[in-house]
Amino acid sequence: MQTNPTPPYNSLVAVGDSFTEGMSDLLPDGSYRGWADLLAGRMAAAAPGFRYANLAVRGKLIGQIVDEQVDVAAAMGADVITLVGGLNDTLRPKCDMGRVRGLLTEAVERLAPACKQLVLMRSPGRQGPVLERFRPRMEELFNVVEALAERHGALVVDLYGAPSLADPRLWDVDRLHLTPEGHRRVAEAVWQTLGYDPEDTEWRTPLPATLPPGWGARRVADVRFARQHLLPWIGRRLTGRSSGDGLPPKRPDLLPYEGPTA
């Protein structure tokens, strides 16, 4: 069977927050890998001299992404730019969706002309009460993403509509970030959206069914989650702090990529 020619992409810049930084795909040295690194590795294997930058920092709101990352990314002149932002805003108790819409529009208007292909996403959502509480805001954000993509010729990767990525088993114990397998599936989704030949045609397919944990195990997990993740998260919200305060971008320079490909 004849395959499609490899898309002529020689560089990638990733813009965003913890999702793009790669939490919770933890490497042995304590750093995070994530879908963007995996994608860059695969693109690099198809294009000698491929260059990659990842400006993402955990905890960033869309206003911070616009102020700190967008102009830097636009100036790099990369073939592909990925932009995922705004979801942290929707999870705040008070969220001005009009402001989020305006800032996301500003980001797209500045990034789309600065690359060959801008990639946006409908972010994945984990099944559970948190998603249900914030679903209206998330879907409003995704409607803006779709409209901006159509207006500016951007691609949209629909992770929100993928049954597999709603499965709690593909989410880390903090219930906010994907597991390594979740990040692998996201990398495959972006890879295919960019026009590369699929390596996994079943990335959307849900995991095989298993018996759910018992009541006691669920309660233990809930208590651990509240103590280790929920309460610190609430504390940062109340004091105006972020998990990314003082952290530099993950990979600030557009340089040849050498790293994991799987």
PDB file of all heavy atoms in Angstrom, residues 223-255:
ATOM      1  N   VAL A 223      -8.864  10.127  49.968  1.00  0.00           N
ATOM      2  CA  VAL A 223      -8.181  10.803  51.076  1.00  0.00           C
ATOM      3  C   VAL A 223      -6.761  11.180  50.674  1.00  0.00           C
ATOM      4  O   VAL A 223      -6.290  12.296  50.942  1.00  0.00           O
ATOM      5  CB  VAL A 223      -8.181   9.909  52.329  1.00  0.00           C
ATOM      6  CG1 VAL A 223      -7.271  10.494  53.401  1.00  0.00           C
ATOM      7  CG2 VAL A 223      -9.593   9.739  52.861  1.00  0.00           C
ATOM      8  N   ARG A 224      -6.056  10.269  50.013  1.00  0.00           N
ATOM      9  CA  ARG A 224      -4.691  10.545  49.568  1.00  0.00           C
ATOM     10  C   ARG A 224      -4.678  11.691  48.554  1.00  0.00           C
ATOM     11  O   ARG A 224      -3.828  12.590  48.623  1.00  0.00           O
ATOM     12  CB  ARG A 224      -4.081   9.294  48.956  1.00  0.00           C
ATOM     13  CG  ARG A 224      -2.617   9.487  48.525  1.00  0.00           C
ATOM     14  CD  ARG A 224      -2.055   8.242  47.876  1.00  0.00           C
ATOM     15  NE  ARG A 224      -2.068   7.107  48.792  1.00  0.00           N
ATOM     16  CZ  ARG A 224      -2.784   6.003  48.605  1.00  0.00           C
ATOM     17  NH1 ARG A 224      -3.570   5.897  47.534  1.00  0.00           N
ATOM     18  NH2 ARG A 224      -2.730   5.022  49.468  1.00  0.00           N
ATOM     19  N   PHE A 225      -5.630  11.668  47.635  1.00  0.00           N
ATOM     20  CA  PHE A 225      -5.718  12.741  46.638  1.00  0.00           C
ATOM     21  C   PHE A 225      -5.958  14.085  47.317  1.00  0.00           C
ATOM     22  O   PHE A 225      -5.314  15.089  46.974  1.00  0.00           O
ATOM     23  CB  PHE A 225      -6.856  12.438  45.660  1.00  0.00           C
ATOM     24  CG  PHE A 225      -7.344  13.627  44.896  1.00  0.00           C
ATOM     25  CD1 PHE A 225      -6.567  14.203  43.900  1.00  0.00           C
ATOM     26  CD2 PHE A 225      -8.586  14.190  45.178  1.00  0.00           C
ATOM     27  CE1 PHE A 225      -7.023  15.309  43.188  1.00  0.00           C
ATOM     28  CE2 PHE A 225      -9.042  15.296  44.482  1.00  0.00           C
ATOM     29  CZ  PHE A 225      -8.254  15.853  43.486  1.00  0.00           C
ATOM     30  N   ALA A 226      -6.880  14.136  48.271  1.00  0.00           N
ATOM     31  CA  ALA A 226      -7.188  15.396  48.942  1.00  0.00           C
ATOM     32  C   ALA A 226      -5.980  15.933  49.701  1.00  0.00           C
ATOM     33  O   ALA A 226      -5.669  17.133  49.636  1.00  0.00           O
ATOM     34  CB  ALA A 226      -8.372  15.202  49.895  1.00  0.00           C
ATOM     35  N   ARG A 227      -5.266  15.051  50.398  1.00  0.00           N
ATOM     36  CA  ARG A 227      -4.136  15.485  51.212  1.00  0.00           C
ATOM     37  C   ARG A 227      -2.939  15.903  50.353  1.00  0.00           C
ATOM     38  O   ARG A 227      -2.309  16.931  50.609  1.00  0.00           O
ATOM     39  CB  ARG A 227      -3.727  14.364  52.172  1.00  0.00           C
ATOM     40  CG  ARG A 227      -2.579  14.754  53.108  1.00  0.00           C
ATOM     41  CD  ARG A 227      -2.276  13.661  54.110  1.00  0.00           C
ATOM     42  NE  ARG A 227      -1.809  12.435  53.472  1.00  0.00           N
ATOM     43  CZ  ARG A 227      -2.514  11.301  53.408  1.00  0.00           C
ATOM     44  NH1 ARG A 227      -3.724  11.251  53.939  1.00  0.00           N
ATOM     45  NH2 ARG A 227      -2.009  10.237  52.823  1.00  0.00           N
ATOM     46  N   GLN A 228      -2.627  15.131  49.333  1.00  0.00           N
ATOM     47  CA  GLN A 228      -1.410  15.358  48.558  1.00  0.00           C
ATOM     48  C   GLN A 228      -1.587  16.346  47.412  1.00  0.00           C
ATOM     49  O   GLN A 228      -0.612  16.981  46.996  1.00  0.00           O
ATOM     50  CB  GLN A 228      -0.896  14.028  48.004  1.00  0.00           C
ATOM     51  CG  GLN A 228      -0.467  13.045  49.072  1.00  0.00           C
ATOM     52  CD  GLN A 228       0.050  11.746  48.483  1.00  0.00           C
ATOM     53  OE1 GLN A 228       0.070  11.557  47.268  1.00  0.00           O
ATOM     54  NE2 GLN A 228       0.489  10.846  49.344  1.00  0.00           N
ATOM     55  N   HIS A 229      -2.817  16.491  46.912  1.00  0.00           N
ATOM     56  CA  HIS A 229      -2.989  17.291  45.705  1.00  0.00           C
ATOM     57  C   HIS A 229      -4.063  18.376  45.829  1.00  0.00           C
ATOM     58  O   HIS A 229      -3.815  19.527  45.481  1.00  0.00           O
ATOM     59  CB  HIS A 229      -3.319  16.373  44.519  1.00  0.00           C
ATOM     60  CG  HIS A 229      -2.276  15.344  44.256  1.00  0.00           C
ATOM     61  ND1 HIS A 229      -1.052  15.656  43.699  1.00  0.00           N
ATOM     62  CD2 HIS A 229      -2.256  14.011  44.503  1.00  0.00           C
ATOM     63  CE1 HIS A 229      -0.321  14.548  43.598  1.00  0.00           C
ATOM     64  NE2 HIS A 229      -1.020  13.551  44.082  1.00  0.00           N
ATOM     65  N   LEU A 230      -5.254  18.007  46.315  1.00  0.00           N
ATOM     66  CA  LEU A 230      -6.348  18.982  46.340  1.00  0.00           C
ATOM     67  C   LEU A 230      -6.091  20.119  47.320  1.00  0.00           C
ATOM     68  O   LEU A 230      -6.216  21.298  46.954  1.00  0.00           O
ATOM     69  CB  LEU A 230      -7.664  18.280  46.673  1.00  0.00           C
ATOM     70  CG  LEU A 230      -8.904  19.179  46.730  1.00  0.00           C
ATOM     71  CD1 LEU A 230      -9.124  19.862  45.381  1.00  0.00           C
ATOM     72  CD2 LEU A 230     -10.130  18.376  47.144  1.00  0.00           C
ATOM     73  N   LEU A 231      -5.710  19.798  48.551  1.00  0.00           N
ATOM     74  CA  LEU A 231      -5.496  20.858  49.542  1.00  0.00           C
ATOM     75  C   LEU A 231      -4.342  21.794  49.153  1.00  0.00           C
ATOM     76  O   LEU A 231      -4.475  23.021  49.277  1.00  0.00           O
ATOM     77  CB  LEU A 231      -5.272  20.244  50.922  1.00  0.00           C
ATOM     78  CG  LEU A 231      -6.498  19.556  51.534  1.00  0.00           C
ATOM     79  CD1 LEU A 231      -6.147  18.933  52.873  1.00  0.00           C
ATOM     80  CD2 LEU A 231      -7.658  20.538  51.675  1.00  0.00           C
ATOM     81  N   PRO A 232      -3.194  21.279  48.675  1.00  0.00           N
ATOM     82  CA  PRO A 232      -2.152  22.202  48.208  1.00  0.00           C
ATOM     83  C   PRO A 232      -2.617  23.069  47.037  1.00  0.00           C
ATOM     84  O   PRO A 232      -2.252  24.255  46.961  1.00  0.00           O
ATOM     85  CB  PRO A 232      -1.022  21.265  47.784  1.00  0.00           C
ATOM     86  CG  PRO A 232      -1.213  20.039  48.616  1.00  0.00           C
ATOM     87  CD  PRO A 232      -2.708  19.886  48.717  1.00  0.00           C
ATOM     88  N   TRP A 233      -3.419  22.494  46.146  1.00  0.00           N
ATOM     89  CA  TRP A 233      -3.948  23.265  45.011  1.00  0.00           C
ATOM     90  C   TRP A 233      -4.832  24.401  45.502  1.00  0.00           C
ATOM     91  O   TRP A 233      -4.715  25.542  45.047  1.00  0.00           O
ATOM     92  CB  TRP A 233      -4.724  22.330  44.088  1.00  0.00           C
ATOM     93  CG  TRP A 233      -5.237  22.980  42.833  1.00  0.00           C
ATOM     94  CD1 TRP A 233      -4.571  23.168  41.657  1.00  0.00           C
ATOM     95  CD2 TRP A 233      -6.554  23.521  42.630  1.00  0.00           C
ATOM     96  NE1 TRP A 233      -5.382  23.795  40.734  1.00  0.00           N
ATOM     97  CE2 TRP A 233      -6.601  24.014  41.311  1.00  0.00           C
ATOM     98  CE3 TRP A 233      -7.692  23.633  43.437  1.00  0.00           C
ATOM     99  CZ2 TRP A 233      -7.739  24.620  40.775  1.00  0.00           C
ATOM    100  CZ3 TRP A 233      -8.828  24.222  42.910  1.00  0.00           C
ATOM    101  CH2 TRP A 233      -8.841  24.712  41.591  1.00  0.00           C
ATOM    102  N   ILE A 234      -5.722  24.105  46.473  1.00  0.00           N
ATOM    103  CA  ILE A 234      -6.586  25.137  47.033  1.00  0.00           C
ATOM    104  C   ILE A 234      -5.749  26.201  47.730  1.00  0.00           C
ATOM    105  O   ILE A 234      -6.020  27.411  47.606  1.00  0.00           O
ATOM    106  CB  ILE A 234      -7.600  24.507  48.014  1.00  0.00           C
ATOM    107  CG1 ILE A 234      -8.594  23.631  47.243  1.00  0.00           C
ATOM    108  CG2 ILE A 234      -8.336  25.596  48.788  1.00  0.00           C
ATOM    109  CD1 ILE A 234      -9.522  22.844  48.153  1.00  0.00           C
ATOM    110  N   GLY A 235      -4.712  25.784  48.458  1.00  0.00           N
ATOM    111  CA  GLY A 235      -3.849  26.738  49.139  1.00  0.00           C
ATOM    112  C   GLY A 235      -3.184  27.701  48.179  1.00  0.00           C
ATOM    113  O   GLY A 235      -3.079  28.905  48.460  1.00  0.00           O
ATOM    114  N   ARG A 236      -2.732  27.202  47.031  1.00  0.00           N
ATOM    115  CA  ARG A 236      -2.117  28.090  46.034  1.00  0.00           C
ATOM    116  C   ARG A 236      -3.135  29.059  45.474  1.00  0.00           C
ATOM    117  O   ARG A 236      -2.820  30.234  45.220  1.00  0.00           O
ATOM    118  CB  ARG A 236      -1.474  27.254  44.919  1.00  0.00           C
ATOM    119  CG  ARG A 236      -0.238  26.484  45.362  1.00  0.00           C
ATOM    120  CD  ARG A 236       0.539  25.953  44.173  1.00  0.00           C
ATOM    121  NE  ARG A 236      -0.229  25.014  43.364  1.00  0.00           N
ATOM    122  CZ  ARG A 236      -0.251  23.700  43.573  1.00  0.00           C
ATOM    123  NH1 ARG A 236       0.422  23.178  44.585  1.00  0.00           N
ATOM    124  NH2 ARG A 236      -0.951  22.902  42.778  1.00  0.00           N
ATOM    125  N   ARG A 237      -4.371  28.586  45.248  1.00  0.00           N
ATOM    126  CA  ARG A 237      -5.404  29.481  44.732  1.00  0.00           C
ATOM    127  C   ARG A 237      -5.690  30.616  45.723  1.00  0.00           C
ATOM    128  O   ARG A 237      -5.853  31.777  45.337  1.00  0.00           O
ATOM    129  CB  ARG A 237      -6.700  28.702  44.470  1.00  0.00           C
ATOM    130  CG  ARG A 237      -6.617  27.585  43.452  1.00  0.00           C
ATOM    131  CD  ARG A 237      -6.405  28.054  42.028  1.00  0.00           C
ATOM    132  NE  ARG A 237      -5.027  28.357  41.738  1.00  0.00           N
ATOM    133  CZ  ARG A 237      -4.066  27.444  41.545  1.00  0.00           C
ATOM    134  NH1 ARG A 237      -4.345  26.166  41.638  1.00  0.00           N
ATOM    135  NH2 ARG A 237      -2.842  27.802  41.275  1.00  0.00           N
ATOM    136  N   LEU A 238      -5.766  30.271  47.010  1.00  0.00           N
ATOM    137  CA  LEU A 238      -6.111  31.268  48.022  1.00  0.00           C
ATOM    138  C   LEU A 238      -5.012  32.299  48.207  1.00  0.00           C
ATOM    139  O   LEU A 238      -5.288  33.448  48.591  1.00  0.00           O
ATOM    140  CB  LEU A 238      -6.419  30.571  49.353  1.00  0.00           C
ATOM    141  CG  LEU A 238      -7.682  29.697  49.384  1.00  0.00           C
ATOM    142  CD1 LEU A 238      -7.795  28.979  50.718  1.00  0.00           C
ATOM    143  CD2 LEU A 238      -8.934  30.533  49.115  1.00  0.00           C
ATOM    144  N   THR A 239      -3.768  31.922  47.962  1.00  0.00           N
ATOM    145  CA  THR A 239      -2.650  32.838  48.168  1.00  0.00           C
ATOM    146  C   THR A 239      -2.132  33.445  46.869  1.00  0.00           C
ATOM    147  O   THR A 239      -1.141  34.183  46.885  1.00  0.00           O
ATOM    148  CB  THR A 239      -1.493  32.098  48.873  1.00  0.00           C
ATOM    149  OG1 THR A 239      -1.104  30.955  48.093  1.00  0.00           O
ATOM    150  CG2 THR A 239      -1.924  31.642  50.263  1.00  0.00           C
ATOM    151  N   GLY A 240      -2.791  33.127  45.756  1.00  0.00           N
ATOM    152  CA  GLY A 240      -2.382  33.704  44.484  1.00  0.00           C
ATOM    153  C   GLY A 240      -1.093  33.147  43.929  1.00  0.00           C
ATOM    154  O   GLY A 240      -0.444  33.780  43.090  1.00  0.00           O
ATOM    155  N   ARG A 241      -0.682  31.950  44.396  1.00  0.00           N
ATOM    156  CA  ARG A 241       0.542  31.335  43.900  1.00  0.00           C
ATOM    157  C   ARG A 241       0.229  30.297  42.834  1.00  0.00           C
ATOM    158  O   ARG A 241      -0.915  29.875  42.666  1.00  0.00           O
ATOM    159  CB  ARG A 241       1.300  30.672  45.064  1.00  0.00           C
ATOM    160  CG  ARG A 241       1.817  31.650  46.084  1.00  0.00           C
ATOM    161  CD  ARG A 241       2.523  30.944  47.234  1.00  0.00           C
ATOM    162  NE  ARG A 241       1.580  30.180  48.040  1.00  0.00           N
ATOM    163  CZ  ARG A 241       1.596  28.852  48.162  1.00  0.00           C
ATOM    164  NH1 ARG A 241       2.502  28.143  47.499  1.00  0.00           N
ATOM    165  NH2 ARG A 241       0.715  28.228  48.924  1.00  0.00           N
ATOM    166  N   SER A 242       1.269  29.893  42.113  1.00  0.00           N
ATOM    167  CA  SER A 242       1.135  28.876  41.075  1.00  0.00           C
ATOM    168  C   SER A 242       2.258  27.868  41.219  1.00  0.00           C
ATOM    169  O   SER A 242       3.358  28.192  41.684  1.00  0.00           O
ATOM    170  CB  SER A 242       1.189  29.521  39.681  1.00  0.00           C
ATOM    171  OG  SER A 242       1.360  28.534  38.668  1.00  0.00           O
ATOM    172  N   SER A 243       1.993  26.639  40.789  1.00  0.00           N
ATOM    173  CA  SER A 243       3.027  25.608  40.834  1.00  0.00           C
ATOM    174  C   SER A 243       4.195  25.922  39.914  1.00  0.00           C
ATOM    175  O   SER A 243       5.289  25.378  40.076  1.00  0.00           O
ATOM    176  CB  SER A 243       2.431  24.249  40.447  1.00  0.00           C
ATOM    177  OG  SER A 243       1.854  24.315  39.147  1.00  0.00           O
ATOM    178  N   GLY A 244       3.976  26.824  38.955  1.00  0.00           N
ATOM    179  CA  GLY A 244       5.038  27.174  38.018  1.00  0.00           C
ATOM    180  C   GLY A 244       5.790  28.447  38.367  1.00  0.00           C
ATOM    181  O   GLY A 244       6.680  28.862  37.605  1.00  0.00           O
ATOM    182  N   ASP A 245       5.486  29.057  39.495  1.00  0.00           N
ATOM    183  CA  ASP A 245       6.156  30.310  39.865  1.00  0.00           C
ATOM    184  C   ASP A 245       7.674  30.104  39.938  1.00  0.00           C
ATOM    185  O   ASP A 245       8.171  29.212  40.630  1.00  0.00           O
ATOM    186  CB  ASP A 245       5.650  30.808  41.219  1.00  0.00           C
ATOM    187  CG  ASP A 245       4.245  31.388  41.141  1.00  0.00           C
ATOM    188  OD1 ASP A 245       3.757  31.612  40.023  1.00  0.00           O
ATOM    189  OD2 ASP A 245       3.630  31.587  42.207  1.00  0.00           O
ATOM    190  N   GLY A 246       8.410  30.923  39.206  1.00  0.00           N
ATOM    191  CA  GLY A 246       9.861  30.876  39.244  1.00  0.00           C
ATOM    192  C   GLY A 246      10.496  29.822  38.363  1.00  0.00           C
ATOM    193  O   GLY A 246      11.731  29.755  38.281  1.00  0.00           O
ATOM    194  N   LEU A 247       9.687  28.992  37.692  1.00  0.00           N
ATOM    195  CA  LEU A 247      10.246  27.951  36.835  1.00  0.00           C
ATOM    196  C   LEU A 247      10.499  28.489  35.427  1.00  0.00           C
ATOM    197  O   LEU A 247       9.685  29.237  34.890  1.00  0.00           O
ATOM    198  CB  LEU A 247       9.302  26.749  36.755  1.00  0.00           C
ATOM    199  CG  LEU A 247       9.082  25.957  38.039  1.00  0.00           C
ATOM    200  CD1 LEU A 247       8.120  24.803  37.776  1.00  0.00           C
ATOM    201  CD2 LEU A 247      10.401  25.439  38.586  1.00  0.00           C
ATOM    202  N   PRO A 248      11.610  28.099  34.813  1.00  0.00           N
ATOM    203  CA  PRO A 248      11.878  28.532  33.438  1.00  0.00           C
ATOM    204  C   PRO A 248      11.117  27.666  32.451  1.00  0.00           C
ATOM    205  O   PRO A 248      10.605  26.595  32.804  1.00  0.00           O
ATOM    206  CB  PRO A 248      13.389  28.295  33.311  1.00  0.00           C
ATOM    207  CG  PRO A 248      13.631  27.108  34.198  1.00  0.00           C
ATOM    208  CD  PRO A 248      12.692  27.268  35.369  1.00  0.00           C
ATOM    209  N   PRO A 249      11.031  28.091  31.186  1.00  0.00           N
ATOM    210  CA  PRO A 249      10.441  27.231  30.163  1.00  0.00           C
ATOM    211  C   PRO A 249      11.185  25.900  30.075  1.00  0.00           C
ATOM    212  O   PRO A 249      12.396  25.825  30.354  1.00  0.00           O
ATOM    213  CB  PRO A 249      10.604  28.036  28.873  1.00  0.00           C
ATOM    214  CG  PRO A 249      10.727  29.453  29.320  1.00  0.00           C
ATOM    215  CD  PRO A 249      11.429  29.405  30.649  1.00  0.00           C
ATOM    216  N   LYS A 250      10.482  24.876  29.677  1.00  0.00           N
ATOM    217  CA  LYS A 250      11.055  23.537  29.641  1.00  0.00           C
ATOM    218  C   LYS A 250      12.240  23.438  28.694  1.00  0.00           C
ATOM    219  O   LYS A 250      13.271  22.863  29.031  1.00  0.00           O
ATOM    220  CB  LYS A 250       9.967  22.545  29.221  1.00  0.00           C
ATOM    221  CG  LYS A 250      10.446  21.113  29.099  1.00  0.00           C
ATOM    222  CD  LYS A 250       9.287  20.201  28.751  1.00  0.00           C
ATOM    223  CE  LYS A 250       9.745  18.753  28.706  1.00  0.00           C
ATOM    224  NZ  LYS A 250       8.622  17.839  28.442  1.00  0.00           N
ATOM    225  N   ARG A 251      12.098  23.989  27.514  1.00  0.00           N
ATOM    226  CA  ARG A 251      13.154  23.934  26.487  1.00  0.00           C
ATOM    227  C   ARG A 251      13.100  25.261  25.736  1.00  0.00           C
ATOM    228  O   ARG A 251      12.442  25.363  24.700  1.00  0.00           O
ATOM    229  CB  ARG A 251      12.905  22.739  25.571  1.00  0.00           C
ATOM    230  CG  ARG A 251      13.995  22.482  24.536  1.00  0.00           C
ATOM    231  CD  ARG A 251      13.611  21.305  23.629  1.00  0.00           C
ATOM    232  NE  ARG A 251      14.549  21.153  22.539  1.00  0.00           N
ATOM    233  CZ  ARG A 251      15.622  20.371  22.560  1.00  0.00           C
ATOM    234  NH1 ARG A 251      15.902  19.685  23.657  1.00  0.00           N
ATOM    235  NH2 ARG A 251      16.418  20.281  21.510  1.00  0.00           N
ATOM    236  N   PRO A 252      13.774  26.292  26.226  1.00  0.00           N
ATOM    237  CA  PRO A 252      13.540  27.663  25.754  1.00  0.00           C
ATOM    238  C   PRO A 252      14.099  27.993  24.387  1.00  0.00           C
ATOM    239  O   PRO A 252      13.681  28.998  23.795  1.00  0.00           O
ATOM    240  CB  PRO A 252      14.215  28.512  26.830  1.00  0.00           C
ATOM    241  CG  PRO A 252      15.283  27.631  27.389  1.00  0.00           C
ATOM    242  CD  PRO A 252      14.706  26.251  27.370  1.00  0.00           C
ATOM    243  N   ASP A 253      15.028  27.188  23.870  1.00  0.00           N
ATOM    244  CA  ASP A 253      15.673  27.523  22.602  1.00  0.00           C
ATOM    245  C   ASP A 253      15.295  26.512  21.521  1.00  0.00           C
ATOM    246  O   ASP A 253      15.140  25.309  21.799  1.00  0.00           O
ATOM    247  CB  ASP A 253      17.189  27.547  22.768  1.00  0.00           C
ATOM    248  CG  ASP A 253      17.633  28.585  23.794  1.00  0.00           C
ATOM    249  OD1 ASP A 253      17.161  29.740  23.682  1.00  0.00           O
ATOM    250  OD2 ASP A 253      18.414  28.238  24.697  1.00  0.00           O
ATOM    251  N   LEU A 254      15.181  26.990  20.294  1.00  0.00           N
ATOM    252  CA  LEU A 254      14.843  26.121  19.169  1.00  0.00           C
ATOM    253  C   LEU A 254      16.136  25.471  18.666  1.00  0.00           C
ATOM    254  O   LEU A 254      16.885  26.056  17.874  1.00  0.00           O
ATOM    255  CB  LEU A 254      14.176  26.948  18.062  1.00  0.00           C
ATOM    256  CG  LEU A 254      13.595  26.160  16.879  1.00  0.00           C
ATOM    257  CD1 LEU A 254      12.496  25.218  17.351  1.00  0.00           C
ATOM    258  CD2 LEU A 254      13.052  27.120  15.824  1.00  0.00           C
ATOM    259  N   LEU A 255      16.385  24.252  19.160  1.00  0.00           N
ATOM    260  CA  LEU A 255      17.648  23.557  18.898  1.00  0.00           C
ATOM    261  C   LEU A 255      17.372  22.166  18.341  1.00  0.00           C
ATOM    262  O   LEU A 255      16.261  21.618  18.505  1.00  0.00           O
ATOM    263  CB  LEU A 255      18.439  23.431  20.197  1.00  0.00           C
ATOM    264  CG  LEU A 255      18.896  24.742  20.856  1.00  0.00           C
ATOM    265  CD1 LEU A 255      19.504  24.444  22.217  1.00  0.00           C
ATOM    266  CD2 LEU A 255      19.870  25.482  19.954  1.00  0.00           C
TER     267      LEU A 255
END
